[in-house]
Amino acid sequence: MTPPPDKRAQDKRARPRNLQSRSTLAGEAAAAAAEVESALLAPQDSESAAFFDVDNTVMQGASIFHFARGLHKRKFFTTREILGAAWKQAYFQIAGVEDPEHVAEARASALSFIAGHTVQELEELGEEIFDEGMAHRIWPGTRALAQMHLDEGQRVWLVTAAPIEIAQIIARRLGLTGAMGTVAEHVDGVYTGRLVGEMLHGPAKGEAIKALAAREGLDLSRCSAYSDSYNDLTMLSMVGDPCAINPDSKLRAHAREHGWRIRDYRTKRKALRAGVAAGAVAGAVVGTVAAGVAVKGRRD
C-alpha cells in the first residue's frame, strides 16, 4: 500500500537525520577505538596533530583490496565471487577517483566475508598481508610528510573508511600515533557482519576527528589534514592546514581556489592515463584471473 503524502514527506525528512545520526555514531566509535601506541613518548606539541586519509593518500590503491587479495590467497572466498571487484580496483588505480556505486557495493559485500571470523584471526592475517602486499605500496612522499609531523612533536592519526583493524596495522608499521577506521561489530571476539553506525566516510570522518580532538585536547585550527578525495572535504575544511595529496579533479580545483597545499606523487600514473587506460584495465583483470587472484573491497 502506498503511504499517504504526509507520511512519505515525514519519511523523507527522517532519512537525512538518520544518516547524520549513523555518521555521528560511526565517528564516535572510530574515535573510541583509536589506538595509541603505549610506547610513544608524550608529544612535545600537545595541541597539534595531523590526520591522513589512507587510500591513494598514504597507500597506492585501496587498502581493503590489497587485504582482500591476501584473504583470497588464504581461501576466504572464491575467485568467482570477486571478479567484479577486479574491475573496480583497476578503475580506481587508473582513474584515481571513486565511483559511489562501486563504493557502496564493495563495502556492503566486504562485511560478508568476515562474519563468523574472530578479531584475533583477522589481526594476525593482517600483519602477514601487510608485509606481502601492502608495505611496498606506501607513497614515500606521504610517509615523509607524516614523519615530519612526528619529528615536530605532533601526533599523527590515520582516518579511513577501511576497517579499523587494517588502519591500526598500517599505523603501527609506519610508527604513527594511531588510527581511526570503520568499526565492524563483534560479539565475544567474533564478527557479526554488521557495522557500528555507518562507514567512516565523508561526514563521519569529521565526527571522528571532532570526538578525538575533544578527548585529546587538540586545537583543530593548529592541526593538518591530508586526503586525495573531494569526499573528504569535511575533514580537510575543519583544520587550519589542509593539504590535497594525489587529488581528484574536484579536490584539486577546490584546493587551488582556496590556496591549499597540493602534493602529487603519481607522475608515472598520470602518463599512463592518457594512452593506455583501457589496456591497463583489461590487463589488470586478465592478470588477476591468470594468477588465480582477485580482489574485493572498499575505498576511504
Side-chain angles (χ1 to χ4, degrees), residues 13-298:
R13 288 194 299 270
R15 280 195 292 272
R17 288 197 297 271
N18 183 54
L19 179 59
Q20 181 178 1
S21 175
R22 291 177 63 82
S23 291
T24 300
L25 179 58
E28 292 174 348
E35 178 179 286
V36 178
E37 295 297 312
S38 58
L40 289 174
L41 297 175
Q44 301 167 22
D45 187 349
S46 61
E47 293 186 343
S48 299
F51 303 99
F52 285 79
D53 169 53
V54 172
D55 295 349
N56 221 32
T57 302
V58 170
M59 176 179 292
Q60 182 178 356
S63 55
I64 186 68
F65 282 108
H66 307 316
F67 182 65
R69 180 171 180 164
L71 292 181
H72 173 266
K73 290 175 65 175
R74 292 160 174 80
K75 311 300 182 184
F76 265 60
F77 37 77
T78 68
T79 300
R80 182 178 181 181
E81 289 178 311
I82 50 179
L83 283 177
W87 153 253
K88 295 168 189 173
Q89 169 67 347
Y91 175 85
F92 175 62
Q93 287 194 316
I94 295 299
V97 297
E98 58 190 61
D99 182 308
E101 291 186 6
H102 288 180
V103 170
E105 293 170 5
R107 288 175 181 167
S109 60
L111 289 173
S112 65
F113 68 75
I114 66 170
H117 292 282
T118 67
V119 174
Q120 181 179 357
E121 180 183 14
L122 266 291
E123 289 177 344
E124 291 174 352
L125 288 175
E127 296 285 351
E128 298 176 11
I129 293 169
F130 178 87
D131 288 332
E132 72 181 33
M134 300 170 76
H136 66 284
R137 300 180 188 276
I138 301 296
W139 294 109
T142 309
R143 184 170 186 176
L145 287 172
Q147 187 61 49
M148 177 191 72
H149 285 284
L150 292 172
D151 291 344
E152 291 178 355
Q154 299 173 3
R155 287 167 286 182
V156 178
W157 275 280
L158 300 180
V159 188
T160 174
I164 184 67
E165 293 80 5
I166 297 177
Q168 289 173 342
I169 290 169
I170 297 172
R172 280 200 301 273
R173 292 306 188 91
L174 297 185
L176 309 182
T177 309
M180 295 184 285
T182 296
V183 178
E185 181 185 76
H186 51 85
V187 176
D188 297 328
V190 178
Y191 291 107
T192 65
R194 294 187 295 270
L195 290 178
V196 177
E198 190 51 79
M199 292 168 289
L200 198 70
H201 184 259
K205 287 188 177 182
E207 295 293 341
I209 290 173
K210 283 195 295 185
L212 185 70
R215 189 184 81 188
E216 300 293 327
L218 299 174
D219 178 354
L220 290 177
S221 69
R222 299 186 58 223
C223 292
S224 302
Y226 301 82
S227 178
D228 70 296
S229 175
Y230 186 80
N231 288 324
D232 283 338
L233 202 58
T234 299
M235 177 177 84
L236 293 167
S237 299
M238 67 194 307
V239 299
D241 176 36
C243 181
I245 300 284
N246 305 327
D248 59 35
S249 58
K250 290 181 67 176
L251 179 58
R252 183 182 294 275
H254 186 91
R256 285 175 174 168
E257 180 182 351
H258 290 80
W260 294 357
R261 289 183 295 140
I262 299 175
R263 299 289 184 271
D264 204 319
Y265 306 119
R266 302 168 300 176
T267 304
K268 293 181 180 179
R269 287 178 55 205
K270 285 181 177 178
L272 284 172
R273 282 184 212 162
V276 298
V281 169
V285 176
V286 171
T288 294
V289 175
V293 178
V295 290
K296 174 180 184 177
R298 72 179 72 173

